[in-house]
């Protein structure tokens, strides 16, 4: 992802405090989060479905929880060699295709997580994995609603971050995933 994608997605504004130096740091930091561990966690939580379905929030989803209604879905599909329109029309997806799509979306989630949570690259691995898993699941806009959690992460208060996760509507929607992510967050405490 290039810096212009972050502006286009609305994650950063032209007047952001990060400026160009923030992007330089971001480019190097993206290697810190273990993408294979993040993908394994996402895989565990999402499972595989060959045909599109409506997720708990009503979004059209396919494969390993890839939201086909998300703003970047067409680009993710294209990058994975898939036809977004055909998938929306009911074309089945193979596990290999779904894995490519998940890997593309997971990489995007890593970049978004590093932008949203300042210093994430310096936090414990469990915390990094939880944030990436949540960004993958909720999207950037959904994750940005976790004001108390993001503030707790900034203070390095893993117990308060876990409490904010448990107090959310998200917890009731994906309780097994949420319990797993909360346990990972508390393990960092």
């Amino acid at each position: 992802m290039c810096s212009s994608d972050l502006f286009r997605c609305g994650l950063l504004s032209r007047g952001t405090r990060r400026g160009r130096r923030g992007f330089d740091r971001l480019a190097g930091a993206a290697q810190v989060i273990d993408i294979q561990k993040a993908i394994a966690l996402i895989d565990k939580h999402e499972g595989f479905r060959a045909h599109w379905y409506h997720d708990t929030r009503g979004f059209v989803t396919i494969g390993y929880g890839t939201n086909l209604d998300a703003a970047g879905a067409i680009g993710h599909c294209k990058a994975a060699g898939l036809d977004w329109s055909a998938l929306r029309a009911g074309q089945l997806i193979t596990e290999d295709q779904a894995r490519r799509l998940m890997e593309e979306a997971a990489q995007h989630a890593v970049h978004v997580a590093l932008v949203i949570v300042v210093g994430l690259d310096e936090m414990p691995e469990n915390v990094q994995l939880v944030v990436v898993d949540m960004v993958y699941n909720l999207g950037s806009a959904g994750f940005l609603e976790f004001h108390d959690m993001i503030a707790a992460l900034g203070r390095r208060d893993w117990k308060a971050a876990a409490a904010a996760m448990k107090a959310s509507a998200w917890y009731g929607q994906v309780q097994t995933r949420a319990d797993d992510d909360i346990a990972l967050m508390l393990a960092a405490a």
Side-chain angles (χ1 to χ4, degrees), residues 53-72:
Y53 61 97
H54 288 100
D55 71 6
T56 59
R57 295 174 294 154
F59 294 114
V60 175
T61 307
I62 196 164
Y64 292 97
T66 301
N67 179 351
L68 294 176
D69 289 337

Side-chain angles (χ1 to χ4, degrees), residues 1-14 16 18-24 26-27 111 115:
M1 168 185 281
C2 68
S3 60
S4 63
D5 289 337
L6 298 173
F7 290 111
R8 197 170 29 249
C9 292
L11 297 175
L12 295 177
S13 66
R14 295 282 177 202
T16 182
R18 286 183 183 271
R20 181 69 208 157
R21 285 185 49 228
F23 291 121
D24 293 340
L26 177 63
H111 287 285
V115 170

Side-chain angles (χ1 to χ4, degrees), residues 2-189:
C2 68
S3 60
S4 63
D5 289 337
L6 298 173
F7 290 111
R8 197 170 29 249
C9 292
L11 297 175
L12 295 177
S13 66
R14 295 282 177 202
T16 182
R17 288 180 294 152
R18 286 183 183 271
R20 181 69 208 157
R21 285 185 49 228
F23 291 121
D24 293 340
R25 186 196 64 77
L26 177 63
Q31 302 305 313
V32 174
I33 295 178
D34 188 328
I35 189 67
Q36 293 308 314
K37 287 183 180 179
I39 288 170
L41 184 61
I42 292 164
D43 184 359
K44 173 185 174 184
H45 291 150
E46 293 291 347
F48 169 74
R49 293 196 194 176
H51 192 274
W52 69 261
Y53 61 97
H54 288 100
D55 71 6
T56 59
R57 295 174 294 154
F59 294 114
V60 175
T61 307
I62 196 164
Y64 292 97
T66 301
N67 179 351
L68 294 176
D69 289 337
I74 294 172
H76 290 303
C77 288
K78 185 176 181 179
L82 298 168
D83 180 346
W84 176 86
S85 297
L87 294 175
R88 287 293 308 239
Q91 176 182 323
L92 298 180
I93 190 171
T94 68
E95 283 195 60
D96 287 341
Q97 291 171 324
R99 184 153 300 278
R100 284 196 315 267
L101 192 55
M102 175 178 54
E103 289 169 357
E104 173 68 24
Q107 190 65 46
H108 177 74
V110 166
H111 287 285
V112 169
L114 286 164
V115 170
I116 293 173
V117 180
V118 176
L120 181 63
D121 56 325
E122 299 166 357
M123 294 179 187
E125 183 177 66
N126 282 2
V127 174
Q128 295 174 355
L129 295 175
V130 167
V131 172
V132 171
D133 185 54
M134 290 180 70
V135 169
Y136 184 95
N137 179 236
L138 296 162
S140 57
F143 185 75
L144 283 167
E145 294 296 317
F146 282 73
H147 305 285
D148 292 340
M149 178 190 175
I150 294 168
L153 292 172
R155 297 188 311 271
R156 309 302 198 255
D157 186 345
W158 316 132
K159 289 179 182 179
M165 293 163 67
K166 191 163 188 171
S168 70
W170 168 80
Y171 180 82
Q173 295 167 345
V174 293
Q175 190 168 355
T176 302
R177 176 187 220 139
D179 283 336
D180 191 27
D181 281 353
I182 289 168
L184 285 170
M185 183 68 69
L186 289 172

